[in-house]
Amino acid sequence: EAGVTQFPSHSVIEKGQTVTLRCDPISGHDNLYWYRRVMGKEIKFLLHFVKESKQDESGMPNNRFLAERTGGTYSTLKVQPAELEDSGVYFCASSHRYSGNYNEQFFGPGTRLTVL
Amino acid sequence: LAKTTQPISMDSYEGQEVNITCSHNNIATNDYITWYQQFPSQGPRFIIQGYKTKVTNEVASLFIPADRKSSTLSLPRVSLSDTAVYYCLVGDMRNNQGGKLIFGQGTELSVKP
């Protein structure tokens, strides 16, 4: 079974530009999450989709971040315009509603974003 | 959600047993305890989960005392490939539709030859 995939693996952009990150969850997983780790900090939750609906977006830092999950499959996270403090690693995770373990989430390898 | 506290780092040698203890003094009755492992340049990976007493799987054991205010992840006979960051998390079992994971700083385990 394929795991969670993320694209691109690395992205280097200049301040003010736009970047779109993509996440493909494990097939059949209704829950999709975005997290990020900025320099020296802990991994922080951004938002949670259940199928195509936003269940919890309490972690989104500001309106420069827009997440979508059209059709309830893959998701995109757009940062527009990017700022220096957005640099970090963005992780996507997915989970199945009926996992044998409580809320076991499967993470992708992350996208490393560098804003210059 | 209960806050967790772990040592920032630990060193070990190949073949040794490693025990990482996590403190969660404010754990609630409905909370379960989960440990994740993260290798460099990868996302976190679920290792083990428990509510009380002892849980064992092919990767590790998890010991939880009766008061549940702490838990200990035990890795038997570590190898160099066990070098990673280990996170202890506490979550609410009633949230069966999933929910955000709250990561602390984790414990960076370094295994030496």
Side-chain angles (χ1 to χ4, degrees):
Chain A
E1 179 183 89
V4 176
T5 59
Q6 294 186 243
F7 182 83
S9 57
H10 293 83
S11 180
V12 181
I13 61 173
E14 294 190 351
K15 176 182 173 181
Q17 290 186 321
T18 297
V19 64
T20 299
L21 313 181
R22 173 172 170 142
C23 168
D24 286 80
I26 293 173
S27 178
H29 281 192
D30 289 341
N31 293 302
L32 187 149
Y33 308 83
W34 284 98
Y35 295 83
R36 75 171 181 177
R37 167 187 272 144
V38 295
M39 181 66 72
K41 299 291 183 63
E42 298 159 359
I43 297 172
K44 294 289 190 183
F45 166 81
L46 295 178
L47 90 161
H48 168 205
F49 284 100
V50 177
K51 297 184 180 179
E52 67 276 7
S53 298
K54 292 176 183 175
Q55 180 78 9
D56 180 357
E57 50 185 325
S58 61
M60 294 289 264
N62 51 61
N63 59 10
R64 295 186 293 103
F65 289 75
L66 175 64
E68 295 181 323
R69 193 184 182 194
T70 306
T73 54
Y74 72 91
S75 174
T76 58
L77 179 65
K78 179 189 288 188
V79 185
Q80 179 183 30
E83 298 290 344
L84 298 178
E85 64 263 26
D86 299 331
S87 294
V89 182
Y90 289 76
F91 293 104
C92 175
S94 70
S95 70
H96 193 284
R97 181 181 302 187
Y98 302 112
S99 167
N101 296 300
Y102 290 109
N103 200 19
E104 178 180 356
Q105 297 185 17
F106 297 82
F107 282 77
T111 292
R112 181 173 294 278
L113 174 65
T114 301
V115 182
L116 302 176
Chain B
L1 294 172
K3 177 179 170 61
T4 61
T5 303
Q6 310 172 230
I8 293 176
S9 64
M10 293 181 69
D11 291 331
S12 181
Y13 291 93
E14 284 190 291
Q16 290 186 328
E17 177 184 77
V18 171
N19 296 307
I20 306 174
T21 297
C22 176
S23 173
H24 26 81
N25 291 315
N26 297 321
I27 192 168
T29 302
N30 297 302
D31 287 341
Y32 58 91
I33 300 156
T34 307
W35 286 77
Y36 279 76
Q37 172 191 57
Q38 184 179 23
F39 296 115
S41 301
Q42 294 187 26
R45 181 178 75 109
F46 175 98
I47 304 178
I48 197 166
Q49 184 177 81
Y51 182 78
K52 61 181 179 181
T53 64
K54 177 183 175 181
V55 179
T56 297
N57 61 22
E58 64 278 4
V59 177
S61 293
L62 178 60
F63 298 90
I64 306 169
D67 67 5
R68 305 201 324 121
K69 293 184 182 299
S70 66
S71 59
T72 299
L73 176 73
S74 181
L75 305 172
R77 299 183 58 79
V78 294
S79 64
L80 296 177
S81 62
D82 292 315
T83 294
V85 179
Y86 293 82
Y87 297 97
C88 163
L89 296 87
V90 171
D92 191 336
M93 289 190 293
R94 293 170 298 179
N95 192 2
N96 60 7
Q97 295 302 308
K100 61 186 175 186
L101 298 178
I102 297 179
F103 288 86
Q105 61 188 7
T107 297
E108 187 168 359
L109 173 65
S110 177
V111 180
K112 303 174 182 177

